[in-house]
Amino acid sequence: MIYGYVRVSTKDQNEDRQLLALHELGISPKNIYIDKQSGKDFERPAYKNLIRRLKQEDALYIKSIDRLGRNYDEILEQWRMLTKELKIDIVVLDMPLLDTRRGKDLIGTFLSDVVLQLLSFVAENERANIRQRQTEGISAAKARGVRFGRPPLPLPDNFEHLCNCWRSGLISGSEAARQCNMPLSTFRYKADRYSPTAG
C-alpha cells in the first residue's frame, strides 16, 4: 500500500502544496493523513493512526524531511522506526536521494542514511539560526525603546486617594484593591511604584 503524510504547524497554514504533490502521484485521498498541529508539543493524532496502519513493504510519501519531526534527533528516530522496525519504504519528494525503494544494498542504505543525517542537521541548524535572529531582533528593538506586551491599563482616578488611605491604615490592602478593581498583588505592586507625578 502507498500512503502519504501531510503536516502543517498551525491551523492557519495551508496544506495544499503538500496535498497537490501527493495527489499528482495518484495516492488515494483515503490513504493521505493530515495533521494541523504545532510542532511544539508534536501531538499528531493522524500520524499515530497512520503508524498503526502501516505494514511491512508499504511506502510512505512525504513532501519534505521535516514533516517527520521537530528536530534532528526526532527525525532520525522516526526514520529509524519506520525503516528498521516497521520495515516500510520512505520517499521524500523534495529530496530524491531519500528514497529507500532504491539502493537496497549496503551502499544505497549508507548513502540514504548519510543524506538523512546531513539534512536533519541542516534543518535543525536553520531552526536554531531563526531563534537566534528572533532573540537578537527583540534585543535590538528593546534597545530602541520598543515595548512588548500589552500596554499597562491606566490607574483609576481614585488610586492616589486609596493608596494614601491604605498607607495610613484607614483601609486594608484588599479593600483598596477591590475599589481599584485589581488583584491585591497588582495593587501593592503599583502602589509601591506610584508617585503622584508619575501617576
Side-chain angles (χ1 to χ4, degrees):
M1 290 287 284
I2 297 176
Y3 294 91
Y5 178 64
V6 170
R7 178 174 68 82
V8 290
S9 299
T10 70
K11 289 186 166 55
D12 295 330
Q13 285 184 334
N14 195 307
E15 68 273 19
D16 289 350
R17 185 179 67 91
Q18 296 176 64
L19 280 173
L20 181 62
L22 297 175
H23 287 317
E24 285 176 349
L25 293 168
I27 300 174
S28 168
K30 68 182 176 62
N31 284 351
I32 296 175
Y33 290 75
I34 303 170
D35 277 314
K36 288 191 175 188
Q37 296 285 143
S38 164
K40 199 171 184 180
D41 55 24
F42 222 56
E43 278 299 314
R44 301 186 292 170
Y47 184 73
K48 290 176 181 175
N49 289 337
L50 170 63
I51 296 299
R52 286 194 284 270
R53 288 278 304 275
L54 290 169
K55 302 283 188 298
Q56 187 171 335
E57 296 184 7
D58 285 344
L60 174 61
Y61 286 73
I62 54 176
K63 181 79 169 105
S64 56
I65 191 63
D66 61 357
R67 301 303 86 193
L68 283 183
R70 294 169 296 185
N71 54 45
Y72 174 77
D73 291 331
E74 202 159 62
I75 291 168
L76 289 177
E77 173 55 28
Q78 292 302 310
W79 186 275
R80 185 198 62 77
M81 182 268 293
L82 292 165
T83 59
K84 304 291 194 286
E85 292 179 19
L86 297 181
K87 294 182 169 47
I88 68 155
D89 282 314
I90 303 177
V91 180
V92 181
L93 300 177
D94 284 351
M95 181 55 60
L97 279 172
L98 290 176
D99 181 346
T100 62
R101 299 169 307 169
R102 287 185 262 173
K104 294 282 189 181
D105 59 3
L106 187 60
I107 291 176
T109 302
F110 173 74
L111 282 174
S112 179
D113 286 349
V114 167
V115 172
L116 172 70
Q117 294 208 29
L118 180 61
L119 283 175
S120 299
F121 172 77
V122 169
E124 175 81 351
N125 197 50
E126 178 57 21
R127 272 189 288 274
N129 287 338
I130 289 169
R131 283 194 295 270
Q132 182 177 344
R133 287 195 294 269
Q134 286 173 335
T135 301
E136 289 170 353
I138 290 169
S139 296
K142 284 182 176 176
R144 292 194 312 271
V146 176
R147 296 182 65 126
F148 293 89
R150 290 184 310 185
L153 294 172
L155 295 173
D157 293 338
N158 60 349
F159 187 78
E160 183 177 357
H161 171 70
L162 291 168
C163 276
N164 291 334
C165 290
W166 170 62
R167 288 189 181 114
S168 60
L170 295 174
I171 59 173
S172 68
S174 298
E175 177 59 23
R178 187 189 67 75
Q179 290 192 43
C180 288
N181 197 27
M182 61 179 65
L184 176 58
S185 58
T186 303
F187 172 78
R188 286 186 170 155
Y189 175 84
K190 290 182 179 294
D192 286 344
R193 285 155 182 75
Y194 177 77
S195 67
T197 54

